[in-house]
Amino acid sequence: MKAIIVKIFVKEDCIEKFKEISFYNSENSRKESGCLRFDVIQAEENPALFFLYEIYKSDEAIEEHRKTAHYKKWRETVADMSPEDNPRVSVRGIPLCPSEEEDY
């Protein structure tokens, strides 16, 4: 399994649009056979700060996700939503606990 955590600051006037397109991406991503989890999280202390938490079966599943129409639409829509001095950051990892697919 592979995890991706994305930290995204969004311009205040883009928050609602960001949530809308991210919900769309999450909903459709969870229908992919290789996607086990896709959460959209908004920080309590800063409503302009978001995290995406994604779990995929494999690196190949991540690459397939990036070919989908919903991901491409999300990427294009959010391209200009982050402040220039605070670009989004993505980190890949390996889920350690829980470690089995059936735990998702």
Side-chain angles (χ1 to χ4, degrees):
M1 285 190 300
K2 300 292 180 156
I4 300 174
I5 301 170
V6 184
K7 179 181 178 183
I8 307 170
F9 282 96
V10 177
K11 297 172 188 172
E12 288 192 29
D13 61 334
C14 296
I15 290 174
E16 291 308 313
K17 180 77 173 169
F18 178 83
K19 288 168 39 174
E20 180 182 312
I21 192 65
S22 294
F23 294 170
Y24 164 82
N25 188 32
S26 173
E27 179 180 345
N28 285 285
S29 296
R30 287 176 291 163
K31 294 175 185 174
E32 297 170 31
S33 62
C35 181
L36 301 172
R37 183 172 195 103
F38 195 118
D39 297 344
V40 179
I41 303 161
Q42 185 177 29
E44 283 185 300
E45 74 282 355
N46 182 351
L49 174 58
F50 292 86
F51 298 90
L52 305 181
Y53 180 68
E54 309 167 46
I55 303 285
Y56 295 90
K57 290 181 179 178
S58 63
D59 286 325
E60 294 78 19
I62 293 170
E63 294 312 310
E64 287 303 311
H65 166 70
R66 291 191 170 154
K67 295 176 186 175
T68 63
H70 55 269
Y71 170 75
K72 290 177 182 178
K73 181 176 180 177
W74 177 86
R75 188 183 65 212
E76 291 171 12
T77 303
V78 305
D80 295 326
M81 290 187 180
S82 292
E84 289 183 25
D85 62 340
N86 216 340
R88 68 178 180 259
V89 176
S90 179
V91 177
R92 283 195 188 201
I94 300 169
L96 299 178
C97 183
S99 61
E100 299 298 321
E101 288 182 23
E102 51 268 7
D103 292 332
Y104 288 92

